[in-house]
């Protein structure tokens, strides 16, 4: 079947509206609160201040993760459990409780992280090989290699349903989930890619507008803990909303392509 972008968005909104109370609970606990805790306990102020200097930014990023790796690991684990729990809650045809959804999310977290790591490593290897070949064989080949890598990125969209496959279908083997996602999206890759790119652009615009409003509010507040708390609350809320919408979109894409 041909992927319908309009239906995917409509279904996403409907899923959120039909399950809004449960979604708010899960998103609040596993997406909003961990983000708020990370922003308050390990603010990235030094990285932002060094943004104008690439070398300084790199050093600050390394230092930040060296000092806060445990907090960041807890954040990644919590948000992954939350996203997978939301997928189970929104995508499964049978009604499940919040507790059951969280159980599904917790059990799928490690397999999902392994699958994500495998995809990232594969992409990094391909990018490195293309870069080495381009360097050795000249400009023309470099352009061809760049085009090939771009096409490869498009095909990477076939793997975006690994999370839904694990949380909704219950397939926890990382390789099996990757293969299943590839099969589901095959034939609709360009439509799914176009839809997700448009969605990302829309969310970026929304984030920029929201960020400007927060900046204005922050400028009116005294510097220090009050300003940090206000900006952290707004940032965490926006992040939770964007993540929840994205999760609903993934669930609706999976539902549409497996009908």
């Amino acid at each position: 079947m041909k992927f319908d972008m309009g239906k995917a968005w409509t279904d996403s909104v409907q899923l959120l509206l039909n399950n809004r109370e449960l979604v708010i609970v899960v998103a609040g606990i596993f997406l909003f609160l961990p983000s708020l805790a990370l922003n308050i306990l390990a603010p990235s102020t030094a990285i932002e201040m060094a943004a104008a200097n690439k070398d300084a930014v790199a050093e600050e990023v390394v230092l930040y993760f060296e000092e806060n790796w445990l907090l960041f690991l807890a954040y990644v684990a919590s948000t992954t459990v939350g996203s997978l729990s939301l997928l189970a809650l929104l995508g499964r045809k049978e009604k499940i409780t919040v507790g059951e959804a969280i159980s599904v999310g917790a059990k799928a977290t490690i397999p999902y992280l392994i699958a994500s790591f495998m995809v990232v490593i594969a992409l990094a290897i391909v990018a490195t090989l293309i870069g080495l070949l381009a360097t050795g064989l000249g400009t023309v080949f470099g352009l061809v290699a760049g085009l090939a890598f771009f096409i490869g990125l498009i095909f990477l969209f076939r793997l975006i349903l690994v999370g839904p496959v694990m949380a909704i279908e219950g397939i926890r083997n990382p390789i099996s989930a990757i293969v299943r996602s590839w099969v589901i999206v095959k034939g609709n890759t360009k439509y799914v890619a176009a839809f997700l790119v448009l969605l990302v652009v829309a969310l970026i615009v929304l984030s920029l507008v929201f960020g400007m409003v927060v900046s204005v509010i922050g400028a009116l507040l005294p510097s220090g803990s009050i300003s940090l708390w206000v900006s952290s609350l707004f940032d965490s809320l926006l992040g939770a909303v964007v993540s929840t919408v994205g999760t609903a979109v993934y669930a609706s894409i999976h539902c549409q392509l497996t009908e």
Side-chain angles (χ1 to χ4, degrees):
M1 65 173 292
K2 183 179 177 180
F3 178 67
D4 187 332
M5 297 186 193
K7 185 177 186 302
W9 176 250
T10 303
D11 289 348
S12 303
V13 174
Q14 199 58 50
L15 283 172
L16 291 173
L17 291 176
N18 292 344
N19 301 277
R20 54 186 177 275
E21 292 88 358
L22 301 181
V23 167
I24 289 173
V25 171
V26 175
I29 295 173
F30 291 97
L31 300 180
F32 173 73
L33 289 179
S35 177
L36 180 62
L38 184 67
N39 286 331
I40 294 298
L41 298 176
S44 57
T45 309
I47 297 175
E48 295 167 5
M49 291 177 63
N53 187 321
K54 292 182 180 179
D55 294 332
V57 168
E59 292 177 2
E60 289 296 340
V61 168
V62 171
L63 182 61
Y64 177 84
F65 283 106
E66 284 180 350
E67 294 178 347
N68 303 293
W69 67 270
L70 190 57
L71 276 173
F72 191 78
L73 188 63
Y75 165 78
V76 170
S78 177
T79 53
T80 303
V81 171
S83 297
L84 292 170
S85 300
L86 284 174
L87 284 170
L89 196 64
L90 297 173
R92 294 199 171 192
K93 289 182 170 54
E94 72 278 10
K95 292 294 182 181
I96 61 175
T97 65
V98 169
E100 290 169 337
I102 293 173
S103 176
V104 170
K107 292 175 182 177
T109 292
I110 292 179
Y112 176 75
L113 292 176
I114 292 173
S116 300
F117 182 73
M118 291 169 63
V119 171
V120 170
I121 291 298
L123 185 63
I125 291 172
V126 172
T128 301
L129 291 175
I130 289 176
L132 291 174
L133 288 172
T135 301
L137 298 178
T139 305
V140 175
F141 184 83
L143 294 174
V144 175
L147 179 60
F149 184 66
F150 177 75
I151 294 172
L153 285 177
I154 296 298
F155 276 94
L156 191 66
F157 280 96
R158 288 190 181 180
L159 306 181
I160 56 99
L161 295 184
V162 170
V165 165
M166 288 185 170
I168 298 172
E169 297 184 23
I171 299 175
R172 296 200 185 110
N173 182 294
I175 296 176
S176 298
I178 289 173
V179 172
R180 173 64 175 158
S181 176
W182 183 275
V183 171
I184 293 173
V185 182
K186 185 178 180 180
N188 288 285
T189 307
K190 58 184 178 182
Y191 302 112
V192 171
F195 175 64
L196 291 177
V197 168
L198 289 173
L199 178 65
V200 168
V201 170
L203 291 176
I204 288 174
V205 172
L206 174 65
S207 299
L208 290 174
V209 173
F210 194 80
M212 286 189 289
V213 174
V214 173
S215 297
V216 172
I217 295 174
L220 299 175
L221 295 173
S223 59
S225 59
I226 295 178
S227 178
L228 175 62
W229 269 96
V230 171
S231 62
S232 297
L233 282 168
F234 278 110
D235 288 345
S236 301
L237 179 60
L238 177 62
V241 170
V242 169
S243 297
T244 301
V245 171
T247 301
V249 167
Y250 286 143
S252 70
I253 293 174
H254 177 272
C255 180
Q256 185 180 151
L257 295 182
T258 54
E259 285 180 345

